[in-house]
Amino acid sequence: MTTATGYRQELVGVFGFPVDENPTVVMMDAAFQSLGLPWRYLTLKVAPTDLAAGIQGIRAMGFRGLNLTIPHKVEVLQYLDEVNADARIMGAVNTIYREGDRLIGANTDGKGFLRSLRDDARMDPAGRKFMILGAGGAARSICVELALAGASEIEIVNRTAARARELVDLLRQNTKARVTFREWNGEVSIPENIDGLVNATSIGLYPNVQELPALNFETIRPGMVVCDVIPNPPRTRFITEAESRGAVTLDGLGMLVYQGVIAFKLWTGIDAPVDVMKRALLLEFGG
Ligand code: NDP
C-alpha cells in the first residue's frame, strides 16, 4: 500500500443517499488535521443504482476506506472481498477498510456503543441484562455486540412485531444470550432485573426533540445504565428524564464518536484523537 506524498492525499469518505446532513466529515477532518495527516474525508451522494460503480470507483481511485449510510449498509455486502464475522451476523456494513487490494466490510456502530458503555459508563456487559427499545439497524448492531460480549439476557421491545422477531431469531441463532420479545403498545415498564436500558429508536432525533418513547419512567431505578442512540441533540429528553431518576446515562454522541474512532484506526492504523473528534461534533451540534 502506498502512502501520500507530494500533493497527493489519501482518500476516505461516506456513500449515502441522502447524505448532505451526514456530520462525520466534521470529526474525521478535525482528527486528520490535529495529527497533521494528508487525508481527506469526502461526503458523496451515491444513488442505490450506482452503488456497484461507486465501489468499483473507490477501488480504482485507491480509497483507503469508506463509510456507508442509508440505504447502502446491506446492499454493499455483495461487492466486498470479505466481511467480518459480526457484520455478517448483522447483515450490515458501515465501514470498509483495505488490506492490500482487498476491501473488507466491518460494522463499527455496535462496537462504538460497546466502547462508550465500557469507557464512559464503566459497565462491562458480560452477565448483564438489557432491555432494548427498537429493532432497526441501530438496535441490531447494539444487540449483536452486547450478546457477543456476553450479555446474559436481552429483551427487545418494538412496535412492529415482525421486525423484532427477525432480530430475535438472528440473535438466538448466532449468540448465547437469552433473548425475548415484547410488543410495544402503550407505556412499557422496565422489569426489576434489568441492568441496562437502550433507546435504539429514532424517537427524539432533531428536529423532534420533544418526543419521548412510551415508557413508564418511574420504573427507572437509581444506578441503572440508560443509553440513547440519538446523537443530535446529545442531551435528549429521554436522557434528562433518566438522569433525574438517578440513572447513569450515556448519550448517542459517544456512540457516534467511537464508531468513527474505530473506523479511523482501521483506516490509518493510528489511534484516533477521541477528544478532538468529540469536541468537533459537539460544536457542530451546537453543544
Ligand atoms: P431504523 O429505521 O432501522 O429503525 C428505527 C426504529 O425505531 C424501529 O425499531 C422503529 O420501530 C422505531 N421507531 C421509530 N419511531 C417510533 C415510534 N414513534 N414509536 C415506536 N417505535 C418507533 O433506524 P436505525 O436503527 O438505523 O436508526 C435509529 C436511530 O439511531 C436514528 O435516529 C439514528 O440517528 C440513530 N443512530 C445512531 C448512531 C450513533 O452512532 N449514535 C448509529 C446509528 C444510528 P418499527 O420497527 O416499529 O418501525
Side-chain angles (χ1 to χ4, degrees):
M1 199 179 289
T2 59
T3 307
T5 57
Y7 292 116
R8 190 173 63 80
Q9 294 173 315
E10 299 295 356
L11 297 180
V12 287
V14 57
F15 284 4
F17 194 83
V19 77
D20 294 13
E21 304 305 321
N22 190 299
T24 307
V25 59
V26 171
M27 66 170 169
M28 289 299 179
D29 277 356
F32 295 143
Q33 271 167 27
S34 85
L35 296 175
L37 294 177
W39 287 54
R40 288 283 302 279
Y41 188 96
L42 305 179
T43 301
L44 300 165
K45 188 172 167 188
V46 176
T49 46
D50 289 328
L51 180 61
I55 297 295
Q56 217 28 58
I58 68 158
R59 283 185 194 274
M61 290 184 276
F63 269 53
R64 298 289 289 266
L66 193 74
N67 284 140
L68 286 312
T69 186
I70 289 171
H72 300 311
K73 289 184 181 184
V74 177
E75 286 305 313
V76 77
L77 265 80
Q78 61 190 304
Y79 305 119
L80 304 176
D81 300 304
E82 195 180 318
V83 176
N84 289 347
D86 53 346
R88 191 165 285 289
I89 294 174
M90 292 166 204
V93 160
N94 80 331
T95 301
I96 297 173
Y97 62 100
R98 228 173 223 273
E99 276 182 9
D101 287 336
R102 293 167 56 73
L103 297 185
I104 306 186
N107 197 309
T108 65
D109 280 338
K111 286 191 192 331
F113 172 81
L114 267 195
R115 174 128 177 225
S116 185
L117 188 69
R118 288 193 167 118
D119 289 9
D120 299 336
R122 306 259 160 227
M123 183 197 229
D124 178 357
R128 303 296 192 128
K129 300 180 176 66
F130 291 87
M131 184 161 138
I132 313 292
L133 308 177
R140 186 176 276 239
S141 62
I142 288 170
C143 286
V144 167
E145 295 297 349
L146 282 175
L148 293 177
S152 61
E153 281 186 39
I154 298 178
E155 175 161 14
I156 294 160
V157 179
N158 200 50
R159 187 177 56 177
T160 309
R163 203 171 189 192
R165 290 217 176 86
E166 225 175 86
L167 178 53
V168 170
D169 289 346
L170 176 144
L171 292 166
R172 285 182 181 158
Q173 281 158 19
N174 293 285
T175 76
K176 296 194 179 95
R178 188 171 165 273
V179 187
T180 54
F181 162 61
R182 201 185 325 173
E183 202 162 327
W184 200 356
N185 37 28
E187 214 173 69
V188 69
S189 292
I190 308 163
E192 271 187 15
N193 62 352
I194 291 294
D195 304 301
L197 169 73
V198 184
N199 172 37
T201 72
S202 41
I203 300 169
L205 183 67
Y206 181 86
N208 304 315
V209 298
Q210 286 306 318
E211 282 184 7
L212 268 181
L215 178 78
N216 178 357
F217 282 87
E218 299 311 321
T219 55
I220 290 179
R221 284 175 289 103
M224 177 185 277
V225 175
V226 175
C227 320
D228 205 339
V229 295
I230 301 297
N232 185 20
R235 278 181 67 76
T236 54
R237 266 192 79 195
F238 178 74
I239 288 287
T240 53
E241 292 286 337
E243 237 170 39
S244 72
R245 284 157 178 98
V248 175
T249 59
L250 210 54
D251 64 42
L253 188 81
M255 174 178 172
L256 183 62
V257 170
Y258 284 124
Q259 64 78 27
V261 161
I262 296 165
F264 185 98
K265 175 90 186 215
L266 287 171
W267 295 335
T268 64
I270 298 170
D271 284 332
V274 180
D275 290 343
V276 169
M277 293 168 76
K278 199 167 202 166
R279 263 203 310 276
L281 268 189
L282 261 177
L283 206 63
E284 193 63 19
F285 293 156

